[in-house]
Amino acid sequence: MYRNTIRAACLLVGLSVLVVIGGWAFAGAQGLQLGVVLVIVMNGLVLFFGDSMALRAMRARPISEIERPELYRIVRELATEARQPMPRLYLSPTPAPNAFATGRGPRRAVICCTTGLLRLLNERELRGVIAHELAHVRNRDTVVCSVAATLAAIITSMTALALLLPLGDSEDEDVPSLLSGLLFLVLGPAAALVIRIAVTRGREHCADEAAARLTGDPIGLANALRKIEVGTRTHPLPTEGRLLASAHLMIAHPFPPQGMSRVFAVHPPTRERIRRLRRMAVDGGWGLD
């Protein structure tokens, strides 16, 4: 459980040391000072905004029990069964069906669902998804994933530097966009590398298994994953830097398997996850109805 917390701390410390050493190697004392400033800013963003980066990227807002009483009931029942604090609930106004959890611990956890997910799934399937996200919170996957998402978002946001570069008297409005795209081709893989260092594919299998045991219904989650995979192909998220940096938080990869989105894909194949869940149903005597 605490391995993820240690991993998050090591990731943050390691990247901080790398920035400071890089600044000193390239520009001596001035570079060292700049590196220290960048590290302070970076750590401040992780500390104060790490929980909310993905929520901001998905334009999510908090919802009350009056708005979504069925969702609150499902989350409260499962959190009580798992002996976890009730997380805060957010809703993202996007047709792409997905869900994710974030937060630095069980008492500060947030679960966010998209409107597309709530429209697509029935209660049995939604219970599986919520149980999966509660498992991430319990295992503190959200800690390391939130740190990785924030660091990746900081890296990808540096493409905005293209707008600040002096371009002489050029009146071509496409030049900044072109430079921004070129910068993203360089910085995108660096952001993806940070995520791949921090996030393991095994965490999804562990969360799937924990969700199946909590609900006693592996097939409910398997059916939800199948619907979500089809839904993400029909309504994929736009491949923007902030969304790419948060993709690993989602229950399923929210982008089509092409272009830069492939670099950020850290989820195991959905077909493999469904196969594992169906095997659990047979071995555990839950049935396949």
Side-chain angles (χ1 to χ4, degrees):
M1 182 181 300
Y2 294 99
R3 187 180 303 170
N4 283 319
T5 304
I6 295 173
R7 182 181 296 167
C10 290
L11 176 65
L12 197 56
V13 171
L15 193 58
S16 298
V17 171
L18 185 62
V19 170
V20 171
I21 293 176
W24 174 77
F26 281 103
Q30 290 184 342
L32 179 63
Q33 294 175 357
L34 179 60
V36 171
V37 171
L38 289 176
V39 164
I40 293 173
V41 172
M42 180 177 69
N43 283 272
L45 289 173
V46 171
L47 179 62
F48 295 106
F49 300 104
D51 296 355
S52 61
M53 281 284 188
L55 297 172
R56 292 173 184 270
M58 292 292 290
R59 297 182 291 111
R61 64 175 181 84
I63 53 174
S64 66
E65 188 168 1
I66 296 176
E67 290 181 82
R68 297 282 179 169
E70 299 86 0
L71 180 60
Y72 263 82
R73 175 180 59 80
I74 292 171
V75 176
R76 185 177 290 112
E77 289 175 357
L78 290 173
T80 301
E81 182 70 20
R83 298 181 180 180
Q84 294 178 226
M86 175 74 180
R88 293 174 291 158
L89 300 185
Y90 276 63
L91 183 67
S92 171
T94 174
N98 230 308
F100 64 91
T102 185
R104 292 195 294 272
R107 296 192 180 279
R108 300 191 60 176
V110 172
I111 290 179
C112 177
C113 299
T114 66
T115 53
L117 181 84
L118 299 182
R119 282 196 298 263
L120 182 65
L121 304 186
N122 59 37
E123 180 172 334
R124 178 188 183 187
E125 295 158 350
L126 184 59
R127 287 178 66 87
V129 170
I130 297 300
H132 176 98
E133 299 307 329
L134 286 172
H136 279 313
V137 173
R138 183 180 181 87
N139 295 336
R140 284 180 168 77
D141 294 331
T142 54
V143 177
V144 66
C145 287
S146 294
V147 170
T150 306
L151 294 176
I154 292 171
I155 294 172
T156 55
S157 66
M158 292 176 65
T159 57
L161 291 174
L163 301 176
L164 304 178
L165 294 176
L167 301 175
D169 297 328
S170 175
E171 297 181 358
D172 190 348
E173 297 179 356
D174 294 332
V175 172
S177 299
L178 178 60
L179 289 175
S180 179
L182 291 175
L183 275 175
F184 186 73
L185 289 177
V186 176
L187 297 174
L193 178 61
V194 169
I195 292 173
R196 288 182 177 275
I197 290 173
V199 179
T200 62
R201 289 194 169 193
R203 71 191 176 92
E204 294 297 336
H205 292 312
C206 290
D208 287 345
E209 181 178 346
R213 297 191 183 282
L214 178 59
T215 61
D217 184 17
I219 300 304
L221 178 56
N223 292 340
L225 290 173
R226 185 174 64 250
K227 285 186 176 181
I228 291 171
E229 183 179 35
V230 174
T232 53
R233 292 176 182 173
T234 307
H235 301 285
L237 289 177
T239 52
E240 301 172 355
R242 292 190 306 165
L243 293 175
L244 285 169
S246 302
H248 63 284
L249 291 168
M250 312 288 181
I251 191 172
H253 191 61
F255 304 103
Q258 59 188 23
M260 185 61 73
S261 67
R262 282 187 178 181
V263 181
F264 286 84
V266 294
H267 293 78
T270 302
R271 188 173 300 177
E272 178 185 345
R273 296 170 67 184
I274 292 174
R275 178 177 55 80
R276 285 170 171 256
L277 288 166
R278 294 181 70 85
R279 184 187 301 166
M280 280 189 68
V282 174
D283 296 343
W286 284 305
L288 289 172
D289 48 326

